[in-house]
Amino acid sequence: MLRLFANAHYDFISVRRYAYVATAAVILPGLLLLLIRGLNYSIEFTGGTLVQIQSRTPVNVATLRTGLDHQGIPGSEIQNFGAANEYVIRARVAKPGTDANDTQSAARAVSQALDATLGAGKYTVVRTEAVGPKVGGELRQKAFLAIFLSFFAVLAYLAYRFEWRFGLAAVTATAHDILATVAFIGALRLEVSLTVVAAVLSMVGYSLNDTIIIFDRVRENLHKHKKDTFEQILNRSINETLPRSVLTHGTTLASLTALTIFGGEVIRPFALVMFFGVFTGTFSSIYIAAPVLMAIEKRWPGQLARGHLGAAKPAGVPVTGRKAQPVA
C-alpha cells in the first residue's frame, strides 16, 4: 500500500520565523478589518425576525427593500437564498418605537409589507424564526463562555495527560486558530450564527486532536532518542505523523469542499469555517504549538526535556555521562 511521506525529513522548526511572519500577515489585517466593520451577528445573537419566502417569479431585491421601507421597517437585510425566487429577510425590530422584544409583531409587520409589495398569495413563507434581543444577548454570552471554558478544559486535560508545558503550548496554538478563524469570518462577512459557533468549536477540537497526536509522539521520542536535541525531536515527531496528517486532512478537506459547493446556504458557512479551521489547525500544530513548546522547555525545562536542550551529541558518545575506560 502506498504510504505518502513515509520517509519525510523536513526541517519544519528552522523555518518557524517565516511561518510567524506569514500568519501575522493574515491575522493582523483581518483583525484590523474586524475592528473597523465588526462581526455580522445573526438574529440569534442580536434578536429580530427572519422570514424566508419563495415568490412565484424572481423579484428585484431593491424592490423588496423599498417596500419594507415604505411599510416602516427600515434597515432590513434581504438576501437571495438558494433559488432565484427565494429570499431571506432579517428585520431587527417591527417598527421604530415598538417593543423590540415583541417578535410576533415584527413577523406580522413583515408579512403586511410583503402583501403590499408582492401581493397577498403571490409568495410562500418557507420558515419564520424570531428571537428576542434579551435571548440573543444571552446566547452570545454563552457562546463566548463556551469557547473560553474550552481553553481551561484543554489546559487541565493536557496537564494531566502530559505536563503543563504541553498544555500551555496547545492552548497558545488554539488561541492562534480562533484569532485566525475570527479574522477569516470577519473578512468574508460571514454571518455569526449558532451554526458558525458550532463550526468554531468543532475546529478547536480538530486542531487540538492534531496537536495532541504530535505531542504524544514527542513524548515517545524523548524516551527513545536520547542523543537528539529538542529541535530534532520536534522535527522527527512532526515528520513521523505527516503521513497520517496528509491522509486525514486531505479527506476532510475534500468532504468540506463538497459541502461548501453542494451543501446549500444553511450548511455553507459551517463548511467554510471548518475548511479554514482544518487548514489553520494543521498549520498551528506544526508551526505554533511545536515552536512554543520548544521555547517553554528552554525557559522552564521539564524532566523529560532536560537531556535534549543542549547541542546535538556526536555519534558514539555515551549518553550516560560516564567516562570511557582505557583499554589495558
Side-chain angles (χ1 to χ4, degrees), residues 9-30:
H9 296 286
Y10 298 111
D11 188 357
F12 293 101
I13 302 301
S14 67
V15 297
R16 61 187 181 279
R17 291 180 179 82
Y18 298 106
Y20 297 158
V21 173
T23 195
V26 172
I27 291 178
L28 293 180

Side-chain angles (χ1 to χ4, degrees), residues 64-282:
L64 281 175
R65 183 170 290 110
T66 303
L68 290 168
D69 289 346
H70 286 167
Q71 295 298 318
I73 312 175
S76 298
E77 298 174 14
I78 305 171
Q79 294 176 319
N80 268 115
F81 190 87
N85 61 337
E86 287 190 21
Y87 307 90
V88 165
I89 301 167
R90 294 177 176 84
R92 303 297 178 189
V93 294
K95 292 182 180 180
T98 59
D99 183 6
N101 286 301
D102 189 355
T103 54
Q104 296 301 321
S105 175
R108 283 196 301 273
V110 171
S111 296
Q112 291 169 3
L114 290 173
D115 288 345
T117 306
L118 301 177
K122 293 187 177 180
Y123 67 93
T124 304
V125 177
V126 179
R127 62 173 170 139
T128 302
E129 297 176 6
V131 179
K134 185 177 179 181
V135 175
E138 290 176 355
L139 283 174
R140 186 166 51 188
Q141 290 177 1
K142 289 178 179 177
F144 283 118
L145 186 63
I147 294 173
F148 187 67
L149 289 179
S150 69
F151 275 64
F152 290 97
V154 168
L155 192 58
Y157 170 74
L158 290 180
Y160 170 75
R161 184 75 171 78
F162 298 91
E163 55 181 24
W164 67 267
R165 296 164 187 82
F166 289 78
L168 185 58
V171 167
T172 303
T174 306
H176 161 274
D177 295 341
I178 291 178
L179 281 177
T181 305
V182 169
F184 172 78
I185 292 170
L188 291 192
R189 295 296 291 166
L190 292 177
E191 189 177 66
V192 181
S193 61
L194 289 176
T195 303
V196 168
V197 172
V200 172
L201 289 173
S202 301
M203 177 273 298
V204 168
Y206 194 96
S207 172
L208 278 172
N209 182 57
D210 201 41
T211 302
I212 288 171
I213 287 172
I214 292 177
F215 281 180
D216 196 42
R217 188 59 60 92
V218 169
R219 189 175 57 173
E220 289 178 12
N221 286 331
L222 284 171
H223 290 290
K224 289 167 60 178
H225 302 280
K226 299 292 186 182
K227 296 177 183 178
D228 287 0
T229 65
F230 200 77
E231 185 171 334
Q232 289 171 333
I233 292 287
L234 291 176
N235 272 324
R236 182 191 292 274
S237 304
I238 295 169
N239 278 294
E240 287 176 353
T241 56
L242 205 55
R244 173 259 173 203
S245 299
V246 170
L247 288 175
T248 305
H249 302 325
T251 52
T252 305
L253 289 175
S255 302
L256 291 171
T257 301
L259 280 177
T260 302
I261 297 173
F262 304 110
E265 296 295 332
V266 175
I267 298 296
R268 188 165 293 130
F270 179 90
L272 277 172
V273 173
M274 275 297 294
F275 188 96
F276 183 79
V278 170
F279 180 79
T280 193
T282 307

Side-chain angles (χ1 to χ4, degrees), residues 1-4 247:
M1 179 180 175
L2 178 64
R3 191 161 182 257
L4 298 173
L247 288 175

